């Protein structure tokens, strides 16, 4: 266990010392929340911060559990870091566990920062904790599996480009910042089948009075979590030469 927690501390130190990582995981969600709450450009009825606060929470989870993890793991794999750590007493299972624990710790920091910013902007949430936690856990499993598939099959620079492209697509299509009703009708069905959309809808329903969580959210999150985890186990390679 000592080795596991030492690796968790190392993962957290690397994350919080990396300017690009901090911008992706913390800077962008907070900037999106503050900017669009103060600048009236979004086609949203009611108080903008009530719509954006749950959406940026979902955005933060997506940025950390998918984009940041895929990019960091892709470069670790390319440089041979994963191979070397996997042969130490730490072992591969505990290395993966350390990355997951570090990801959850970063998400906790993001939630605190976003909540503080949203409350300062006038957000007054009506919290249902159990559905919110369940949705976040399922989404983290899904995004982590997706990240490991990208990082474990592609070269580092290709993984970087692919992770950023997927991140932008999921951001724009998931109702995190822009309402789903603003998408073309043919794209809405596709968008509602995405795990990022399901997380955004679950967060909005669990944090906003008068909004229910759509029933379709749970099968979408469960299917994506199970499929992404299975694909990660089947497809992840510790070395580029595997």
């Amino acid at each position: 266990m000592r080795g596991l927690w030492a690796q968790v501390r190392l993962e957290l130190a690397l994350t919080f010392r990396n300017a690009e990582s901090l911008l992706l995981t913390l800077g962008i969600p907070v900037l999106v929340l503050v900017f669009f709450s103060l600048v009236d450009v979004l086609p949203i009825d009611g108080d903008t911060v009530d719509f954006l606060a749950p959406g940026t929470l979902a955005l933060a989870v997506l940025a950390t559990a998918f984009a940041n993890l895929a990019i960091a793991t892709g470069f670790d794999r390319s440089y041979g870091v994963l191979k070397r750590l996997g042969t130490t007493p730490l072992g591969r299972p505990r290395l993966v566990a350390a990355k997951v624990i570090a990801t959850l710790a970063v998400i906790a920091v993001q939630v605190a920062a976003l909540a503080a910013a949203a409350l300062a902007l006038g957000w007054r949430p009506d919290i249902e904790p159990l559905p919110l936690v369940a949705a976040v856990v399922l989404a983290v499993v899904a995004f982590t599996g997706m990240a490991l598939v990208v990082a474990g099959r592609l070269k580092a620079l290709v993984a970087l480009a692919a992770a950023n492209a997927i991140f932008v697509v999921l951001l724009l299509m998931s109702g995190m910042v822009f309402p789903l009703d603003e998408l073309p009708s043919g794209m809405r069905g596709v968008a509602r089948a995405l795990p990022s959309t399901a997380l955004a809808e679950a967060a909005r329903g669990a944090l906003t009075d008068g909004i229910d969580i759509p029933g379709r959210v749970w099968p979408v999150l469960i299917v994506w979590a199970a499929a992404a985890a299975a694909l990660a186990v089947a497809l992840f390679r510790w070395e580029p030469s595997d």
Side-chain angles (χ1 to χ4, degrees):
M1 290 298 292
R2 185 177 299 174
L4 170 64
W5 292 112
Q7 186 63 31
V8 170
R9 289 193 296 272
L10 176 61
E11 296 282 348
L12 290 173
L14 292 174
T15 297
F16 288 115
R17 289 175 185 172
N18 187 311
E20 292 86 353
S21 176
L22 283 177
L23 176 63
L24 178 64
T25 59
L26 192 58
I28 290 177
V30 172
L31 285 173
V32 167
L33 172 64
V34 174
F35 178 81
F36 286 111
S37 294
L38 296 177
V39 180
D40 187 16
V41 295
L42 295 179
I44 296 171
D45 296 327
D47 198 338
T48 305
V49 72
D50 290 338
F51 177 85
L52 285 174
T56 51
L57 171 61
L59 171 59
V61 174
L62 173 64
T64 300
F66 173 68
N68 187 61
L69 182 61
I71 293 168
T73 305
F75 279 99
D76 284 349
R77 175 176 173 267
S78 177
Y79 295 149
V81 174
L82 295 185
K83 178 183 177 181
R84 289 192 290 272
L85 285 175
T87 59
T88 66
L90 178 67
R92 293 182 176 183
R94 281 187 288 184
L95 175 59
V96 173
K99 286 185 173 294
V100 172
I101 294 170
T103 296
L104 293 173
V106 172
I107 290 173
V109 173
Q110 291 173 302
V111 170
L114 285 167
L119 290 171
L121 291 166
W123 183 48
R124 296 296 179 263
D126 181 24
I127 303 174
E128 296 181 45
L130 290 181
L132 180 63
V133 171
V136 169
V137 169
L138 287 170
V140 167
V141 173
F143 295 148
T144 299
M146 293 165 58
L148 292 179
V149 170
V150 170
R153 300 301 296 188
L154 303 176
K155 293 181 179 179
L157 291 178
V158 180
L160 171 64
N164 282 323
I166 294 170
F167 172 75
V168 171
V169 170
L170 293 179
L171 166 61
L172 295 177
M173 288 188 62
S174 297
M176 295 177 177
V177 179
F178 305 99
L180 286 180
D181 291 343
E182 297 301 313
L183 292 176
S185 58
M187 297 176 62
R188 291 174 200 162
V190 175
R192 289 189 175 100
L194 297 173
S196 46
T197 305
L199 174 60
E201 292 185 324
R204 200 158 282 125
L207 293 170
T208 308
D209 185 26
I211 296 180
D212 294 327
I213 299 176
R216 65 175 177 274
V217 159
W218 303 113
V220 169
L221 285 174
I222 291 169
V223 168
W224 271 97
L231 285 173
V233 170
L235 299 178
F236 187 80
R237 298 292 180 266
W238 290 85
E239 306 172 51
S241 58
D242 278 2

